[in-house]
C-alpha cells in the first residue's frame, strides 16, 4: 500500500505543474493537494496515513474536475501520459486498499476468536482500522470558476 501511495505522491507534482499552466486561478485545489501530500509523507500511524490518503483522493477529484473545463489541456501529450500513470496508480491503490482491508479483517477476527483473544488480551493487541474512502468521495466534487465578490 505504501509504495503505491508513494508512487501517486511522486506523480502528483508533475501533473499539478502541467495543469497549473492552464488553470492558474484554481490555487485552492493545488494548495489542498500539496497539503495532503505533505501529510501523507509525514504520517506515522495507519490512522494518519488513511486520513492523509483520503484527503489526497478528494483533492485529486477536484483537480480532475478542473481538467474537464480545459479542453486544450486534455490534448497535451505530457498531460495524457501523466493521467494514464495516475489512473493506473489509483487502480493499484484501490487493489492494495482492498488487500489491506482483507488482512485487517483477518487480523481483527483472529484477535477476537479463541485462542487468539487470550493472546491479544495478554499483550494488549488492538484492532486495526479499515482503509475506507472518505464520505466526500461519494459526491462529485464541485469547482467554482467565478471570482468571489
Amino acid at each position: 500500500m505504501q509504495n503505491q501511495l508513494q508512487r501517486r505522491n511522486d506523480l502528483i507534482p508533475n501533473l499539478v505543474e502541467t495543469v497549473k499552466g492552464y488553470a492558474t486561478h484554481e490555487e485552492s485545489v493545488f494548495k489542498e493537494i500539496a497539503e495532503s501530500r505533505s501529510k501523507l509523507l509525514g504520517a506515522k500511524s495507519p490512522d494518519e496515513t488513511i486520513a492523509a490518503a483520503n484527503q489526497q483522493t478528494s483533492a485529486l477529484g477536484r483537480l480532475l474536475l478542473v481538467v474537464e473545463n480545459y479542453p486544450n489541456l486534455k490534448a497535451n501529450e505530457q498531460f495524457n501520459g501523466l493521467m494514464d500513470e495516475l489512473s493506473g496508480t489509483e487502480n493499484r491503490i484501490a487493489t492494495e486498499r482492498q488487500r489491506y482491508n482483507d488482512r485487517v479483517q483477518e487480523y481483527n477476527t483472529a484477535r477476537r476468536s479463541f485462542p487468539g483473544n487470550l493472546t491479544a488480551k495478554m499483550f494488549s493487541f488492538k484492532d486495526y482500522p479499515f482503509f475506507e474512502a472518505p464520505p466526500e468521495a461519494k459526491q462529485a466534487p464541485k469547482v467554482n470558476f467565478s471570482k468571489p465578490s
Side-chain angles (χ1 to χ4, degrees):
M1 183 69 159
Q2 290 292 350
N3 64 338
Q4 295 305 325
L5 291 172
Q6 183 60 50
R7 185 171 190 265
R8 177 170 70 177
N9 258 358
D10 293 342
L11 286 171
I12 288 172
N14 294 324
L15 181 64
V16 167
E17 287 304 315
T18 302
V19 176
K20 267 186 183 179
Y22 288 89
T24 56
H25 62 282
E26 276 300 318
E27 285 186 40
S28 65
V29 175
F30 304 124
K31 285 179 184 173
E32 188 177 342
I33 289 171
E35 287 172 12
S36 66
R37 188 169 183 264
S38 296
K39 286 180 184 177
L40 189 59
L41 291 172
K44 305 238 185 296
S45 70
D47 287 332
E48 289 177 4
T49 301
I50 289 169
N54 286 341
Q55 181 183 357
Q56 194 170 59
T57 298
S58 297
L60 285 173
R62 287 189 59 217
L63 177 66
L64 295 177
L65 191 61
V66 169
V67 167
E68 288 179 11
N69 290 296
Y70 291 92
N72 292 340
L73 181 58
K74 290 185 208 175
N76 180 299
E77 281 183 43
Q78 181 183 9
F79 175 77
N80 286 334
L82 289 169
M83 284 304 299
D84 288 344
E85 288 291 326
L86 191 58
S87 176
T89 301
E90 291 298 322
N91 288 335
R92 288 183 188 105
I93 288 171
T95 299
E96 293 302 320
R97 182 178 290 162
Q98 184 60 50
R99 288 178 182 162
Y100 171 85
N101 284 343
D102 290 346
R103 298 302 84 74
V104 166
Q105 179 68 43
E106 290 170 10
Y107 166 80
N108 289 344
T109 300
R111 196 187 71 70
R112 292 187 205 118
S113 303
F114 183 81
N117 62 346
L118 299 175
T119 306
K121 186 172 183 168
M122 188 176 0
F123 292 104
S124 300
F125 291 165
K126 304 283 183 219
D127 277 352
Y128 273 92
F130 286 105
F131 206 132
E132 298 177 3
E136 56 269 9
K138 294 177 183 175
Q139 297 177 349
K142 307 238 185 306
V143 174
N144 183 359
F145 286 101
S146 63
K147 296 231 179 221
S149 43

